[in-house]
């Protein structure tokens, strides 16, 4: 079969004797010794009509189909199947979010955020993100659009990664062709970790109504400080420090319960991966448990906001730090005071890095404590700068 200069080749599945075949009338000639000649001719006519109907369909759609698309349409015409109602990727994704309860809340939140981004793209570009459009290079257009919006490479890569997952989920249901050549941008985050001294500075910082009011006034903050807010600053600090001492994610250390702690060990099924970790508690972590603040309730985002202020109060992290970001496909070097780069996840990275620098714990053991599946993932958590590494090595005899 030839259509628009392309050749589509497929066996009819019908065997005939060459001597009885007419290439002009495209049928088995009579008389024929083949007792199934009439049935075979009818089947061949039906296949020819299906091929012609498929060509007419693609002509109306102004499409030059790929072989798999042509034969998919051919089979539907042959079986007289109605056209499938193929929803857009965003509608399909929304249905996935509504029906899938297996993923952690943080993952569902990320998918909902991605869906809003894709809806905004559709609205601005006046199009529907179809599966065919995605397979024809649409991911590159989405990535470029996000770059124009000033999104980072990792942010854009995260969106495309989810688009690929939705597409692959739909492949079996909608008979889609494989998604080939879609590149997911990803660069290691140039995040910071806190040294043991900096963590101690956070623990030693006085957080009273008087000290907080004075500091908030000094930095021209408009936050209203109440006795409840003073308590929440202490709760945020306790939870963040517990993360520094255990390596738990914020979703885990912010939902810790007394039943998770037995005989000096915290046992948790991590919300993100559903894997169980068991982490021994040092004396500082045990002291936090007795404070009572650890089991109070506070939103994750409040921990982020308050821990930055607490880090700034200590003045131990006022020094500038250079970080590399990848924005709109370009690497950019920025300078920030270290306290400004601290987030709730800094606690987990600090735990891993400080254990590694101690030299007392193997990378494999750190991997088990963090609940990672590979040492490579754990290695990416280590945040030792080139300068810090040089200072550490300078103490070795070989450099003296």
């Amino acid at each position: 079969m030839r259509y628009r200069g392309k050749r589509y080749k497929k066996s009819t599945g019908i065997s005939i004797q060459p001597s009885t075949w007419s290439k002009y009338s495209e049928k088995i000639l009579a008389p024929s010794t083949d007792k199934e000649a009439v049935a075979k001719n009818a089947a061949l006519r039906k296949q020819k009509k299906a091929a012609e109907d498929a060509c007419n369909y693609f002509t109306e759609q102004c499409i030059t189909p790929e072989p798999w698309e042509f034969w998919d349409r051919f089979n539907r015409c042959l079986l007289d199947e109605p056209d499938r109602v193929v929803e857009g990727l965003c509608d399909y994704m929304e249905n996935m979010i509504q029906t899938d309860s297996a993923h952690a809340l943080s993952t569902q939140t990320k998918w909902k955020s991605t869906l809003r981004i894709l809806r905004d793209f559709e609205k601005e570009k006046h199009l529907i993100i179809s599966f065919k459009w995605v397979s024809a290079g649409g991911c590159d257009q989405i990535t470029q659009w996000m770059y124009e919006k000033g999104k980072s490479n990792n942010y854009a890569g995260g969106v495309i990664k989810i688009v690929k997952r939705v597409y692959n989920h739909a492949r079996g249901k909608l008979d889609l062709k494989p998604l080939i050549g879609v590149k997911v941008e990803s660069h290691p985050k140039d995040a910071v970790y806190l040294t043991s001294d900096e963590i101690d500075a956070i623990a030693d910082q006085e957080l009273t109504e008087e000290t907080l009011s004075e500091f908030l006034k000094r930095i021209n903050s408009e936050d209203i400080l109440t006795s409840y807010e003073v308590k929440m600053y202490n709760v945020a600090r306790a939870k963040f420090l517990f993360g520094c001492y255990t390596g738990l994610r914020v979703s885990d250390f912010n939902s810790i319960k007394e039943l998770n702690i037995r005989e000096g060990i915290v046992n948790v099924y991590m919300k993100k991966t559903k894997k169980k970790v068991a982490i021994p508690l040092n004396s500082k972590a045990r002291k936090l448990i007795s404070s009572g603040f650890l089991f109070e309730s506070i939103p994750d985002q409040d921990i982020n906001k308050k821990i930055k202020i607490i880090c700034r109060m200590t003045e131990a992290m006022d020094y500038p730090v250079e970080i590399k970001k990848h924005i709109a496909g370009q690497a950019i070097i920025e300078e920030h005071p270290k306290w400004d780069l601290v987030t709730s996840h800094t606690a987990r990275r600090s735990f891993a890095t400080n254990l590694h620098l101690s030299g007392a714990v193997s990378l494999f053991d750190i991997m088990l404590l963090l609940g990672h599946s590979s040492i490579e993932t754990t290695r990416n958590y280590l945040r030792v700068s080139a300068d810090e590494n040089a200072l550490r090595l300078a103490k070795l005899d070989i450099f003296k």
Side-chain angles (χ1 to χ4, degrees), residues 15 50-51 111 126 128 135 139 156 162 175 182 185 207 223-224 245 258 295 303 307 329 335 359 387 395 399-400:
S15 60
W111 276 55
H126 305 291
I128 298 296
S135 66
C139 288
I162 292 176
D175 297 327
V182 176
E185 287 282 350
L207 296 179
D223 289 354
I224 299 174
Y245 301 145
E258 291 186 65
F295 306 111
I303 296 177
I307 200 62
E335 185 179 290
D387 290 342
K395 299 176 182 178
F399 289 107
K400 292 181 179 178

Side-chain angles (χ1 to χ4, degrees), residues 240-280:
F240 179 81
L241 288 174
F242 196 76
C244 291
Y245 301 145
T246 62
L248 293 174
R249 295 182 181 87
V250 63
S251 57
D252 297 318
F253 69 65
N254 196 22
S255 58
I256 203 79
K257 298 179 177 65
E258 291 186 65
L259 62 86
N260 297 123
I261 301 167
R262 289 289 182 272
E263 299 179 353
I265 295 177
V266 58
N267 291 274
V268 176
Y269 280 97
M270 297 184 295
K271 294 185 179 298
K272 182 176 181 180
T273 63
K274 304 299 187 289
K275 289 179 64 175
K276 184 178 181 180
V277 291
I279 306 156

Side-chain angles (χ1 to χ4, degrees), residues 199-212:
I199 294 171
D200 287 343
I202 294 173
D204 295 338
Q205 177 61 48
E206 187 179 2
L207 296 179
T208 63
E209 186 170 354
E210 183 181 351
T211 57
L212 283 166

